[in-house]
Amino acid sequence: MIPDSSPFHTSAPISNRNNLRPLRTLFPWSLTAFSLVVGCTSQAPVSQKAVNPPPGPQAFFPDILPDPLEPVNRGIFAVNKGILFGVVQPTGRVYRKIVPERARQSIKDFTRNITYPGRVVNHVLQGRWDGAGDESLRFLTNTTVGVAGLFDVATTWKMPKSDADFGQTFNKWGWKSNLYLMLPFLGPSDDSHAAGCVADKFSEPWNYKYPYTIGSYVSTYNKLAEGAEQAAQFLRTETDPYVGVKYIWSYASKEESPDWNLSGAPDLPTLQTLGVATIRCKDPTFIERGREMKVRLSSTGSDMKFSYWLQPTAAPLVYIAPGLGTHRLNTVTLSVAEALYQNGYSVVSTSGLFHPEFMEHASTSALPAYPPNDARDFLTELTEFDQALEKKFPGAFGKRALVGFSMGGFQALYLAAHEKKQAPNMLHFSRYVAINPPVDLRYGIATIDAFRNAPLAWPEESRQAKIDNTFHKIAQMNSAPASTTGMPLLNATESKLVIGSSFQLTLRDTIYNSQRRNNMGVLNHPISYWNRKEIYREISSYSFKDYFLRMVIPYYQTRGIGLKDFAREINLRTYEAPLHAQNNIRVITNRNDFLLSKNDVSWLESTFGSSNVRLFPNGGHLGNLADPPVQQAIIHALQDLK
């Protein structure tokens, strides 16, 4: 059930604002692994009286920069996005193929060297004499030994590096940022750093005389081309990337460090779950090697896209069913796809049930959540994907398999239980592999909602400060003091807050997008595209239980589906007999997965047998998915398909 917009599906962590300099040239290439958990602000004012009282307390989120210009900022963000997809990404691919990596690195090294005057001036203005001295020594070394800065010899010689700019200086002098801005072409900023950005440009020597100004343009494009793929993946996979960028910038602009002290014992299942952030594709170009196809689904009449990677010769075809709101090009999905592809399988990935791509194009229901409907829609799209691939690549595929993780694992087991009842013209699988599947969705929902309310354990007077510090630590995790290396940096309340907030973000996007499509009149505020502060604030009062009781159940009751139907269908124990009778199912999970009770773990063992269930003692929920033993277990589960 791990959501696409969770903190576990972005790229490498950032240590401070200076690591986010590329943000100023369009979009963030270096995103913190966890900052997207804070998906809606708790400081947005409610301007109209509620018609329907909110179902419960607000979810707990940190305070961030105010965004009164959100409609304008979103418009600029849309233009920047169009430039990325229309110009930077396609030309960047050509540029990276033509220009060798060493040459591109030399451009970056030269750029940093020639912009030395701005750094040393700002170090002096801030009274940071050590920084000014370090940068002066680096400049002298790289300019001489490094051939005018084309080679970063100073780093090779382990000379200290210290960044400084005018935004940092203004902040040091007391200009505290209080207004979020999205700048054309330059990306996210705020009032103080926008002014600092202008001053930074005046401090760059090559901006004063033609033709040296060409170097500035070359440097900017080189930076854009290097990060275009990562930025494009972020924009495609995140449901509302505007909010993600805003939160990243809010933390990146902080000069102070969080309080790293650990007060309280850690909670291993949730702490280990954060290991999903370590997942990366071994080949950074793997996403580029994939192809995309769209099929007009007979069930909805809408075009649904999917991604695929095909072997050069005939091979088994594996379909990936991702987590709750996970996009088909999400980092976790890609890592699973890459592991399968590298082991000789052709692979297809599609988006999860709660992701807008599935909801808008493949779902026949206004609200996802009822397994019979969701499974039917999911199998329909896979069947039509398979038919399209078979038509385009006849004879290229052998046996079919379905690999699902998290909620996708629940789907895989649900489809396996109903396999014999499927129509002959529907897609059938020779193997079902479920990775960290929940068994009883009621238990999972209750656990996630409890995590959502974890900060209630903190005293009210210090609660908001602790919440802010938690997310500040997450955003700057890789700048943690050396003394804490290898030690837990989050206590139980903090790690539960992070995970609960990530699921809350997926729920927010699910409610918002479902009500945009089919407004049930439950929400009080207008469902605006350009100004979402108020509607996001209202939605953040909904827990998963509230979503079911106030939206899902009433919707399906009008279709003759009641509470008893839900209670039966959202628990895999309902289908214990058909699941037990099948020998083409494999389950891979962890004993301390917080979505599983002890009885759930025992049920999995007894239902599928020890030979078909691989249980790891630790890892939380998907936290060890990148570990070699887990990836080997996935490949082993499919080995007899070839």
Side-chain angles (χ1 to χ4, degrees):
M1 293 174 70
I2 278 224
D4 176 36
S5 307
S6 81
F8 319 123
H9 304 322
T10 54
S11 57
I14 55 173
S15 58
N16 52 50
R17 185 180 55 78
N18 292 316
N19 293 66
L20 258 69
R21 286 183 179 276
L23 281 167
R24 293 182 173 177
T25 50
L26 198 63
F27 287 112
W29 324 138
S30 179
L31 305 172
T32 172
F34 305 111
S35 60
L36 297 186
V37 298
V38 285
C40 51
T41 174
S42 59
Q43 63 187 23
V46 179
S47 64
Q48 68 181 79
K49 184 177 180 181
V51 178
N52 299 313
Q58 292 278 143
F60 296 104
F61 295 108
D63 290 324
I64 62 162
L65 287 171
D67 189 10
L69 302 177
E70 183 183 7
V72 176
N73 284 335
R74 281 188 179 272
I76 295 172
F77 185 79
V79 172
N80 289 351
K81 182 179 177 181
I83 294 172
L84 173 66
F85 285 120
V87 179
V88 178
Q89 187 187 24
T91 61
R93 288 185 174 182
V94 176
Y95 173 79
R96 291 193 303 275
K97 287 183 178 180
I98 295 175
V99 181
E101 183 178 357
R102 177 60 258 180
R104 302 198 303 270
Q105 183 61 46
S106 288
I107 293 174
K108 288 192 288 185
D109 293 340
F110 179 81
T111 299
R112 192 179 191 283
N113 197 60
I114 201 173
T115 54
Y116 153 78
R119 287 192 303 281
V120 74
V121 166
N122 280 286
H123 276 303
V124 171
L125 292 175
Q126 295 174 44
R128 295 165 57 177
W129 308 109
D130 288 345
D134 290 339
E135 284 300 309
S136 296
L137 185 58
R138 288 180 60 88
F139 176 73
L140 179 63
T141 301
N142 286 337
T143 302
T144 55
V145 183
V147 191
L150 291 174
F151 301 94
D152 187 4
V153 179
T155 296
T156 303
W157 291 355
K158 298 183 179 180
M159 293 182 179
K161 179 187 293 186
S162 181
D163 288 315
D165 57 35
F166 278 98
Q168 191 182 69
T169 298
F170 293 158
N171 186 273
K172 183 79 171 179
W173 288 356
W175 185 350
K176 300 300 181 183
S177 305
N178 53 34
L179 177 66
Y180 179 73
L181 296 172
M182 179 63 65
L183 304 179
F185 307 106
L186 301 179
S189 188
D190 54 58
D191 48 338
S192 65
H193 290 101
C197 184
V198 175
D200 288 337
K201 287 298 179 183
F202 279 105
S203 72
E204 295 177 1
W206 53 14
N207 286 328
Y208 286 93
K209 185 172 181 174
Y210 183 84
Y212 302 112
T213 51
I214 296 176
S216 178
Y217 299 127
V218 172
S219 170
T220 298
Y221 181 78
N222 185 69
K223 188 185 298 181
L224 290 170
E226 286 291 298
E229 294 302 327
Q230 185 179 353
Q233 180 188 9
F234 172 75
L235 293 177
R236 285 195 181 101
T237 59
E238 298 302 323
T239 303
D240 188 0
Y242 173 84
V243 172
V245 171
K246 178 167 63 177
Y247 274 85
I248 291 168
W249 178 261
S250 294
Y251 279 113
S253 63
K254 291 179 179 288
E255 297 298 339
E256 69 275 11
S257 297
D259 179 2
W260 292 106
N261 292 321
L262 184 65
S263 57
D267 176 70
L268 289 183
T270 51
L271 195 62
Q272 290 172 350
T273 297
L274 302 184
V276 182
T278 66
I279 295 178
R280 301 286 184 275
C281 284
K282 296 176 182 177
D283 178 4
T285 67
F286 179 73
I287 187 173
E288 300 177 40
R289 294 163 57 191
R291 296 292 180 265
E292 185 177 87
M293 186 186 297
K294 64 181 178 181
V295 173
R296 177 150 297 182
L297 301 179
S298 59
S299 55
T300 62
S302 182
D303 290 338
M304 182 65 178
K305 296 179 180 179
F306 64 93
S307 301
Y308 63 93
W309 294 260
L310 303 187
Q311 297 292 338
T313 58
L317 180 59
V318 180
Y319 288 87
I320 298 177
L324 194 66
T326 306
H327 189 270
R328 54 192 162 86
L329 293 178
N330 163 266
T331 304
V332 176
T333 310
L334 285 175
S335 68
V336 175
E338 182 188 38
L340 293 169
Y341 182 80
Q342 287 181 340
N343 282 274
Y345 298 94
S346 293
V347 185
V348 170
S349 69
T350 184
S351 296
L353 296 177
F354 279 36
H355 193 276
E357 187 171 58
F358 183 91
M359 292 171 61
E360 294 174 11
H361 302 288
S363 179
T364 57
S365 304
L367 295 171
Y370 187 53
N373 287 14
D374 296 339
R376 180 196 63 221
D377 293 337
F378 183 63
L379 185 60
T380 297
E381 72 163 3
L382 294 189
T383 299
E384 299 191 20
F385 291 168
D386 197 80
Q387 292 170 350
L389 286 169
E390 193 65 57
K391 182 178 180 180
K392 186 172 183 178
F393 306 102
F397 311 111
K399 296 179 180 179
R400 270 65 165 178
L402 178 62
V403 173
F405 60 85
S406 194
M407 190 61 188
F410 180 94
Q411 279 183 285
L413 295 179
Y414 192 92
L415 287 173
H418 294 79
E419 183 182 57
K420 293 183 179 179
K421 296 181 181 179
Q422 300 294 353
N425 63 330
M426 300 300 284
L427 182 61
H428 290 259
F429 299 98
S430 300
R431 179 64 41 82
Y432 297 87
V433 180
I435 306 168
N436 286 99
V439 171
D440 184 352
L441 298 186
R442 290 173 300 183
Y443 180 86
I445 287 170
T447 301
I448 293 167
D449 284 346
F451 289 172
R452 173 184 185 267
N453 294 322
L456 291 174
W458 288 325
E460 185 175 359
E461 62 273 14
S462 61
R463 185 177 299 149
Q464 189 61 54
K466 289 180 178 293
I467 292 170
D468 292 338
N469 190 66
T470 298
F471 289 112
H472 196 182
K473 284 202 291 186
I474 289 294
Q476 300 196 19
M477 194 68 81
N478 71 331
S479 65
S483 60
T484 64
T485 302
M487 298 295 292
L489 297 175
L490 300 176
N491 62 33
T493 302
E494 291 171 330
S495 60
K496 289 177 181 178
L497 167 63
V498 170
I499 290 176
S501 298
S502 73
F503 280 98
Q504 186 70 26
L505 176 56
T506 288
L507 179 62
R508 181 207 70 185
D509 293 335
T510 299
I511 293 176
Y512 174 82
N513 285 287
S514 68
Q515 297 309 292
R516 277 194 69 200
R517 295 171 57 226
N518 181 32
N519 194 336
M520 300 171 62
V522 177
L523 300 175
N524 299 318
H525 293 93
I527 306 174
S528 168
Y529 179 85
W530 299 105
N531 193 341
R532 305 188 191 184
K533 291 191 296 292
E534 292 184 358
I535 192 65
Y536 275 6
R537 177 184 173 88
E538 181 181 355
I539 292 173
S540 73
S541 66
Y542 279 73
S543 64
F544 272 88
K545 181 179 178 181
D546 296 324
Y547 170 65
F548 273 87
L549 293 181
R550 293 171 67 97
M551 291 185 174
V552 173
I553 298 300
Y555 169 78
Y556 282 99
Q557 281 179 333
T558 63
R559 287 149 180 80
I561 300 169
L563 284 171
K564 290 184 179 180
D565 299 303
F566 266 92
R568 182 181 67 252
E569 297 295 341
I570 64 177
N571 192 334
L572 289 175
R573 287 181 176 83
T574 301
Y575 299 102
E576 180 174 348
L579 287 171
H580 180 72
Q582 296 217 90
N583 195 40
N584 63 343
I585 299 173
R586 303 291 184 270
V587 177
I588 302 167
T589 192
N590 303 317
R591 288 189 180 276
N592 69 343
D593 187 335
F594 57 75
L595 292 182
L596 297 175
S597 68
K598 290 183 179 179
N599 289 335
D600 291 337
V601 175
S602 299
W603 180 83
L604 288 171
E605 288 183 288
S606 62
T607 301
F608 300 106
S610 58
S611 61
N612 292 334
V613 176
R614 180 68 187 276
L615 282 172
F616 291 89
N618 292 295
H621 186 66
L622 296 177
N624 57 349
L625 188 59
D627 293 354
V630 177
Q631 296 210 343
Q632 290 167 11
I634 297 172
I635 301 304
H636 180 76
L638 297 168
Q639 65 179 0
D640 55 349
L641 292 183
K642 294 183 179 179

